[in-house]
């Protein structure tokens, strides 16, 4: 079918196997997956075989050399160079978080992309959740906002892996979202902080809390300042001032509980 989008997938880990590749395969009328890439070639070949993909690459740059209309970037780390590589070739991009690891890189990326920014979309899917669109509508009815509060309880991925349609190597992995030690060293340098700070930044903020930050800004406007923030291995508590309301974020780890729970509360200035 000539009208189908030709799509490449860079990164064949958890999110690719659970969401992106199955979703693309479920709509053969719209999408054709033309290539996959992963630095673990065994994993890349397994995914190619499972999902009927003809071309396999060891790195994203090799994949981007193929003819395609769009690429999904879901590797486990900084995505800035791959996003630029795709945009330079006129390829549309859906990129998983994080887009990059620090503000300086984000500003540089924004400048480099220029008018092509509309070809790049970050995978902040909660803004498209039915419950969230209902919340947005309710917030508009309330008029001026006073407070927006979120409470999230999340477990480690290893607690629910066995129920997911992924390869056996990932199911046996105690920490399928971990990154290489040299990547942690890079993050520590970017933060100018300790190994402990790098771990919390990755495990809590980059892996999860960025979704809440993105979601609340859709309702309360852009963040202006952080009033309070406390992070530990067990959770995070953040208070920030946005354009239209004060926002409180509470996030807690629930080891061993194979579930994800989130509550959002919006209070209008009139009560």
């Amino acid at each position: 079918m000539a009208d189908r989008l030709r799509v490449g997938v860079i990164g064949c880990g958890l999110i690719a196997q659970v969401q992106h590749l199955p979703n693309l395969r479920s709509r053969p009328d719209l999408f054709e997956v033309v290539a996959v890439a992963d630095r673990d070639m065994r994993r890349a070949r397994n995914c190619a075989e499972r999902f009927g993909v003809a071309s396999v690459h060891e790195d994203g740059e090799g994949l981007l050399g193929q003819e395609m209309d769009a690429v999904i970037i879901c590797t486990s780390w900084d995505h800035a160079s791959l996003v630029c590589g795709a945009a330079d070739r006129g390829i549309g991009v859906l990129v998983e978080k994080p887009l990059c690891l620090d503000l300086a890189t984000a500003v540089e990326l924004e400048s480099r992309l220029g008018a092509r920014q509309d070809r790049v979309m970050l995978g902040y899917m909660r803004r498209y959740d039915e419950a969230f669109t209902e919340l947005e509508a309710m917030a508009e009815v309330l008029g001026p906002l006073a407070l927006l509060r979120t409470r999230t309880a999340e477990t480690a991925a290893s607690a629910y892996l066995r129920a997911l349609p992924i390869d056996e190597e990932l199911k046996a992995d105690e920490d399928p979202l971990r990154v290489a030690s040299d990547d942690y060293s890079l993050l520590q340098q970017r933060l100018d902080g300790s190994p402990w700070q790098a771990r919390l930044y990755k495990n809590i903020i980059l892996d999860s809390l960025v979704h809440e930050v993105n979601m609340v800004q859709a309702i309360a406007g852009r963040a202006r300042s952080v009033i309070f923030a406390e992070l530990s291995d067990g959770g995070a508590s953040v208070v920030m001032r946005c354009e239209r309301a004060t926002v409180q974020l509470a996030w807690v780890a629930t080891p061993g509980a194979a579930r994800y729970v989130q509550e959002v509360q919006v209070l209008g200035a009139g009560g």
Side-chain angles (χ1 to χ4, degrees):
M1 296 181 193
D3 341 347
R4 295 191 300 173
L5 279 178
R6 299 165 299 170
V7 182
V9 177
I10 302 175
C12 295
L14 189 62
I15 195 65
Q17 294 185 37
V18 172
Q19 293 290 341
H20 294 303
L21 287 168
N23 287 341
L24 291 167
R25 183 173 61 179
S26 73
R27 294 302 306 265
D29 54 322
L30 297 177
F31 306 110
E32 177 190 5
V33 182
V34 295
V36 295
D38 196 284
R39 59 186 177 187
D40 181 340
M41 283 296 286
R42 185 207 59 79
R43 180 178 295 171
R45 291 190 186 99
N46 283 351
C47 281
E49 184 177 347
R50 283 175 56 201
F51 295 97
V53 183
S55 184
V56 180
H57 298 267
E58 193 171 5
D59 58 66
E61 285 301 320
L63 179 143
L64 292 174
Q66 273 195 235
E67 288 289 325
M68 64 186 66
D69 305 302
V71 65
I72 299 175
I73 301 173
C74 44
T75 51
S76 60
W77 213 233
D78 192 326
H79 299 132
S81 62
L82 287 173
V83 168
C84 285
D88 288 345
R89 293 172 171 87
I91 300 171
V93 179
L94 172 62
V95 55
E96 286 287 349
K97 44 90 173 157
L99 177 62
C100 53
L101 299 181
D102 55 51
L103 180 59
T105 306
V107 171
E108 181 183 346
L109 185 59
E110 181 181 37
S111 172
R112 181 170 170 184
L113 289 175
R116 297 170 299 171
Q117 289 180 44
D118 62 355
R119 302 276 295 173
V120 178
M121 182 176 185
L122 273 160
Y124 288 129
M125 68 290 185
R126 292 185 197 171
R127 288 200 185 194
Y128 303 94
D129 188 283
E130 185 178 338
F132 180 73
T133 56
E134 289 182 16
L135 180 67
E136 278 189 301
M138 291 170 59
E140 291 205 7
V141 172
L142 286 173
L145 303 178
L147 177 68
L148 195 159
R149 181 163 49 203
T150 73
R151 291 178 289 181
T152 305
E154 185 168 4
T155 188
S158 56
Y160 53 84
L161 283 180
R162 289 173 182 81
L164 298 176
I166 56 178
D167 66 32
E168 294 303 316
E169 181 197 31
L170 275 178
K171 286 187 179 182
D173 198 330
E174 289 298 318
D175 183 10
L177 301 179
R178 71 178 180 275
V179 295
S181 58
D182 56 339
D183 286 333
Y184 269 121
S185 298
L186 172 63
L187 181 55
Q188 187 180 338
Q189 291 172 13
R190 297 277 187 93
L191 293 175
D192 192 21
S194 67
W196 176 77
Q197 289 172 313
R199 187 179 73 250
L200 292 185
Y201 183 53
K202 188 270 176 189
N203 292 346
I204 295 179
I205 297 177
L206 294 186
D207 280 355
S208 184
L209 200 61
V210 289
H211 283 294
E212 280 83 346
V213 172
N214 176 266
M215 180 176 64
V216 299
Q217 290 185 101
I219 295 174
R222 293 185 65 123
R224 294 278 180 87
S225 61
V226 175
I227 300 168
F228 171 83
E230 182 179 54
L231 278 77
S232 69
D233 286 313
S237 179
V238 179
V239 180
M240 58 188 189
R241 181 64 197 169
C242 292
E243 291 171 329
R244 294 190 290 276
T246 297
V247 172
Q248 297 176 350
L249 307 175
W251 185 96
V252 63
T254 54
R259 62 178 184 168
Y260 179 92
V261 179
Q262 183 171 81
E263 298 175 355
V264 183
Q265 183 180 26
V266 181
L267 298 177

